[in-house]
Amino acid sequence: MAQAAPVKIKHSVRRVAESVIERIIQVAGFLAVVFVLLILVFLLRESLPIFKDYSLGKLLAGRDWRPTSDPALFGMLPLILGSIFVTVGAMVVSVPLGVGCAVFVAEIASPRMKEILKPLIEMLAAIPSVVYGFLGLLLLGPWLAKILDLPIGQFGMVGAILLAFIAIPTIVSVCEDALSAVPRAFRENSLALGATRWQTIARVTIPAARSGLFAAVLLGLGRAIGETMTVLMVTGNSPVIPEGLKAFLKPLATMTAIIAQQMGETVYGSDHYHALFMLGLLLFLASLAVSIISDVVIRRMPGVRA
Amino acid sequence: VTPNEIPIAHDGIAVIVNPSNPLSEISVEKLSDIYSGKAKSWSDVGAKGLGDIQAISRDPSSGTYDSFKEMVIQKPDKTRDYAASCVQTASNEAVLTTVGQTKGAIGYIGLAYVNDKVKVLGVIPLGGGKPAVKPSESTVRDNSYPISRLLYLYTDGVPAGNVKTYIDWGLSDEGQKIVKEVGYITLK
């Protein structure tokens, strides 16, 4: 018994240390929530004063964004639609490419090829968005304008294509994880029943991983909607209401680009300042909506979770 | 804060077009029509075969954006403003690149940034009747070029101490030599 005492002390020290570490992790978890709430409070505080001079309807449905006119107009409709256009365009390009790429990496590529492909795709994510912007401004935009016979090389589609490339690494990497998480037995059973490789991928593996694939798409969407520098450089930033599919071939402006472009020189506390924060609040709510929707849908979907 | 402004250099805002554009001059009225969206096609301002005008502007955070609005767009009519369809670029360099690459484009940049990828237009002052003026050292300094402005340094109250030394240096021959070297136009 004389020897048991020090062991006991060691145990209790370890227990104290463990509970301290637990607390720290707990605090770290709560801090994330606190930060989000603080950001929300800050956005609300800086954006709500705009309602003193402008009604919500006038802001959201207003067709003219003229911050330096007299009187200034802060119609956000062209910017909201601009953001939706560019983001949806980016998803149309990036979802098939990203999911296809993930299927290839996870299901078809040999282990050696997979070892090369995965880091290469992840490297796409390491390219700063300003570099994509440069490529778009100097190469992709003028080139597309030439082959599509457009008057100018800065338009919505350039932004959508570049955003697609920015979203692809996120989509591929999450999709690939989801596909790899599908148990081997699923594939083996399917193949044993006489299904071809393609039938197995299309009817067994992908359906089994669909909640993960959906999460990947939404994460890519979140990445695309918040991207600023690239769209600021290549879309022309003309706050015009995009009308129909043709609008992809014309200059347009997104919410993020307008905030980045105009926040630097706006007078602190002016209507313009509050209006820009209102745009920020809208973006915040949009990403919040995307994550809530993805949470609900993923929870409802049967299948293997990534 | 009591702002105190001290002129340090002259600057002209050059109106630039793609080198393939046949125009060599344009009036302030026409420029105002273009940027406020009244004139949409190059044939409206006397150039043929160029299609629609792509008006390139700076962004609202730029001083040049405001100067151009005051000295050109609002000159014929105070209620005018930039049309939403203007393509807004974030720097003088981006305006240069875009105008250099785009056949139907027109833009404006600080005279210091002009290079041979673009063509500088002469500008006919408001009211017409006078010949077009090209931006140059003498036409900007004597204000006969219609889109000329002074550049200022700002201090809080009358400058003293190191601030005064710095400003005196900027106004000295040595400082003004640098003004000239970087492409702006000296006070004298």
Side-chain angles (χ1 to χ4, degrees):
Chain A
M1 286 307 273
Q3 277 173 335
V7 175
K8 227 180 201 169
I9 289 168
K10 250 188 203 164
H11 265 298
S12 67
V13 167
R14 193 176 290 169
R15 204 168 297 154
V16 169
E18 220 153 77
S19 81
V20 167
I21 291 168
E22 247 172 50
R23 237 350 107 66
I24 290 173
I25 293 172
Q26 210 172 27
V27 168
F30 279 123
L31 268 185
V33 179
V34 169
F35 284 149
V36 172
L37 285 178
L38 283 178
I39 290 171
L40 180 61
V41 167
F42 179 74
L43 279 176
L44 286 172
R45 203 190 66 185
E46 298 298 324
S47 63
L48 290 182
I50 189 71
F51 291 133
K52 260 188 276 173
D53 297 320
Y54 296 85
S55 69
L56 184 65
K58 222 168 147 188
L59 291 174
L60 292 184
R63 303 172 72 90
D64 290 294
W65 177 265
R66 296 179 169 281
T68 56
S69 283
D70 194 22
L73 295 172
F74 299 110
M76 296 174 181
L77 194 60
L79 313 181
I80 296 170
L81 290 176
S83 278
I84 292 176
F85 258 68
V86 173
T87 309
V88 170
M91 295 325 281
V92 168
V93 179
S94 63
V95 168
L97 273 178
V99 174
C101 181
V103 168
F104 180 76
V105 171
E107 303 294 318
I108 298 165
S110 66
R112 179 177 294 174
M113 193 174 239
K114 189 171 166 176
E115 253 169 53
I116 301 169
L117 275 179
K118 246 209 140 174
L120 275 180
I121 292 159
E122 273 155 18
M123 232 163 74
L124 267 184
I127 298 174
S129 55
V130 67
V131 174
Y132 281 107
F134 246 127
L135 291 175
L137 184 63
L138 295 176
L139 297 173
L140 182 65
W143 180 72
L144 278 176
K146 205 172 184 184
I147 58 171
L148 297 173
D149 195 25
L150 299 174
I152 189 160
Q154 293 174 28
F155 49 96
M157 202 169 96
V158 188
I161 292 175
L162 290 172
L163 280 189
F165 278 92
I166 289 172
I168 278 174
T170 310
I171 296 179
V172 173
S173 143
V174 179
C175 269
E176 205 262 339
D177 288 345
L179 291 168
S180 302
V182 175
R184 253 186 102 77
F186 281 40
R187 296 184 189 88
E188 281 163 1
N189 281 333
S190 168
L191 293 170
L193 286 170
T196 62
R197 208 169 180 194
W198 166 246
Q199 286 168 331
T200 305
I201 291 170
R203 304 204 195 150
V204 176
T205 322
I206 289 181
R210 65 173 177 265
S211 64
L213 301 190
F214 190 75
V217 169
L218 284 171
L219 280 172
L221 182 80
R223 183 79 183 79
I225 203 170
E227 177 49 45
T228 305
M229 199 60 209
T230 311
V231 283
L232 175 63
M233 290 170 80
V234 302
T235 56
N237 304 310
S238 314
V240 195
I241 295 199
E243 277 163 4
L245 281 178
K246 260 193 175 164
F248 276 114
L249 304 178
K250 290 182 183 160
L252 52 77
T254 67
M255 296 194 275
T256 49
I258 291 294
I259 294 174
Q261 185 200 50
Q262 301 179 359
M263 188 52 95
E265 290 287 326
T266 184
V267 179
Y268 177 82
S270 63
D271 281 344
H272 188 193
Y273 174 89
H274 295 310
L276 291 176
F277 268 99
M278 183 51 74
L279 285 177
L281 184 65
L282 291 179
L283 279 169
F284 180 90
L285 294 177
S287 355
L288 196 69
V290 168
S291 32
I292 290 175
I293 291 168
S294 66
D295 234 44
V296 170
V297 176
I298 289 167
R299 217 168 285 167
R300 279 192 181 171
M301 264 188 194
V304 183
R305 296 220 161 83
Chain B
V1 182
T2 37
N4 176 34
E5 67 179 23
I6 300 147
I8 185 77
H10 290 279
D11 185 28
I13 299 175
V15 177
I16 55 172
V17 291
N18 191 271
S20 67
N21 194 311
L23 281 186
S24 60
E25 55 184 59
I26 193 163
S27 66
V28 169
E29 286 89 342
K30 291 264 169 67
L31 279 174
S32 173
D33 286 349
I34 290 173
Y35 276 92
S36 59
K38 306 269 177 307
K40 293 194 182 331
S41 164
W42 279 105
S43 53
D44 296 342
V45 294
K48 282 191 180 118
L50 282 171
D52 287 344
I53 299 174
Q54 307 298 321
I56 316 290
S57 82
R58 290 293 308 281
D59 59 77
S61 328
S62 148
T64 316
Y65 176 94
D66 283 327
S67 299
F68 192 80
K69 184 166 126 184
E70 276 169 35
M71 292 191 283
V72 176
I73 298 175
Q74 296 187 329
K75 260 286 150 68
D77 179 354
K78 275 266 173 266
T79 61
R80 286 186 175 182
D81 198 349
Y82 284 97
S85 54
C86 291
V87 166
Q88 298 181 4
T89 51
S91 66
N92 282 297
E93 281 303 330
V95 177
L96 261 182
T97 310
T98 310
V99 174
Q101 283 173 342
T102 310
K103 228 177 76 186
I106 184 167
Y108 57 83
I109 52 174
L111 195 51
Y113 294 88
V114 170
N115 68 13
D116 55 8
K117 280 187 273 176
V118 295
K119 180 161 126 187
V120 176
L121 294 183
V123 179
I124 302 166
L126 190 76
K130 283 179 228 161
V133 185
K134 279 248 180 190
S136 72
E137 195 177 334
S138 57
T139 59
V140 167
R141 194 181 292 135
D142 69 12
N143 252 334
S144 58
Y145 180 66
I147 326 173
S148 306
R149 59 178 173 175
L150 279 165
L151 301 177
Y152 301 95
L153 291 174
Y154 285 88
T155 56
D156 182 7
V158 180
N162 282 339
V163 176
K164 185 175 174 359
T165 317
Y166 174 68
I167 286 171
D168 286 344
W169 172 78
L171 296 170
S172 73
D173 289 349
E174 201 185 338
Q176 291 289 304
K177 210 177 114 195
I178 295 172
V179 164
K180 190 171 179 173
E181 270 169 24
V182 294
Y184 293 107
I185 289 152
T186 53
L187 293 170
K188 279 177 262 173

